[in-house]
Amino acid sequence: IESFFGDGSRYGLKIKMSKEKIRLGTAGPLLLLKDELKEPFLVMNGDILTTSDFSHLYNFHEENHSDITVAATDYHVEIPYGVIQYDDAKVKSIQEKPSQRFFCNAGIYILSSEIIKNIPKNKFLNMTDVIDECLSKNGNVSVFPLHEYWTDIGTHQDLENARNKFESN
């Protein structure tokens, strides 16, 4: 990333790089930015590709007075077999080829700057830990459904699938 973007000037950006000395997880490094972040800010996993307009996510966060807003993607699981509900050895019902829908964490978040105060120094911490901590303190955690294109490109195959999708459009 650093070798591609440099300081960002050739793209009209100002980029400041921060490097971990020890592994800190997906949220632990945010403490390194505590003096820089005074307003709600976007956090996104580096292996996500989306066409989402983040201004909608930000506005939603502000309108709901959220401490944390979690973007979520709709995920369907198709089971290709009949599913048996039973009690001991007795069949109660069979549901033929059911599907289930889940709202799944899309790895995209808006955090209010106050959240950084709860991040311990030099401790491995994931975003889900930060969310759990906020919930345990009755914080306002909102979910924002993504309707635009979203995919994880964490494997070579996922990246190739995404490239093919955009090349065919």
Side-chain angles (χ1 to χ4, degrees):
I1 291 173
E2 190 173 10
S3 65
F4 182 84
F5 285 106
D7 67 358
S9 59
R10 70 177 169 198
Y11 300 102
L13 303 170
K14 180 181 173 188
I15 297 176
K16 181 178 175 185
M17 299 285 174
S18 174
K19 296 180 183 179
E20 301 173 18
K21 291 182 175 57
I22 59 171
R23 288 189 63 222
L24 297 172
T26 56
L30 294 175
L31 187 64
L32 300 171
L33 302 171
K34 72 176 181 198
D35 296 330
E36 309 282 330
L37 302 170
K38 304 297 181 201
E39 297 178 26
F41 58 96
L42 174 77
V43 175
M44 182 171 146
N45 293 358
D47 59 355
I48 300 299
L49 178 64
T50 184
T51 59
S52 295
D53 181 339
F54 296 133
S55 67
H56 297 299
L57 175 63
Y58 183 88
N59 291 338
F60 179 89
H61 176 85
E62 290 288 284
E63 288 165 8
N64 287 279
H65 307 285
S66 301
D67 297 309
I68 301 173
T69 300
V70 182
T73 185
D74 193 18
Y75 189 79
H76 296 261
V77 177
E78 302 283 334
I79 301 174
Y81 311 106
V83 174
I84 299 171
Q85 301 294 322
Y86 65 95
D87 187 7
D88 289 326
K90 191 155 186 88
V91 172
K92 298 292 185 180
S93 68
I94 297 179
Q95 186 179 10
E96 188 60 30
K97 299 180 181 176
S99 66
Q100 293 184 326
R101 288 178 73 180
F102 299 95
F103 246 10
C104 295
N105 182 348
I108 304 169
Y109 316 89
I110 299 285
L111 282 78
S112 295
S113 58
E114 297 81 39
I115 293 296
I116 294 179
K117 296 173 187 169
N118 299 324
I119 296 176
K121 188 175 183 177
N122 294 325
K123 182 177 179 200
F124 185 94
L125 192 71
N126 281 322
M127 284 300 299
T128 51
D129 301 321
V130 173
I131 293 166
D132 288 340
E133 176 72 16
C134 187
L135 289 170
S136 75
K137 293 180 176 179
N138 294 318
N140 184 11
V141 178
S142 301
V143 62
F144 179 83
L146 294 179
H147 300 291
E148 300 85 0
Y149 178 79
W150 175 95
T151 191
D152 182 313
I153 55 171
T155 68
H156 290 291
Q157 186 59 54
D158 293 336
L159 180 58
E160 188 60 31
N161 291 343
R163 282 183 177 145
N164 290 336
K165 170 132 178 86
F166 280 92
E167 286 174 1
S168 66
N169 287 339

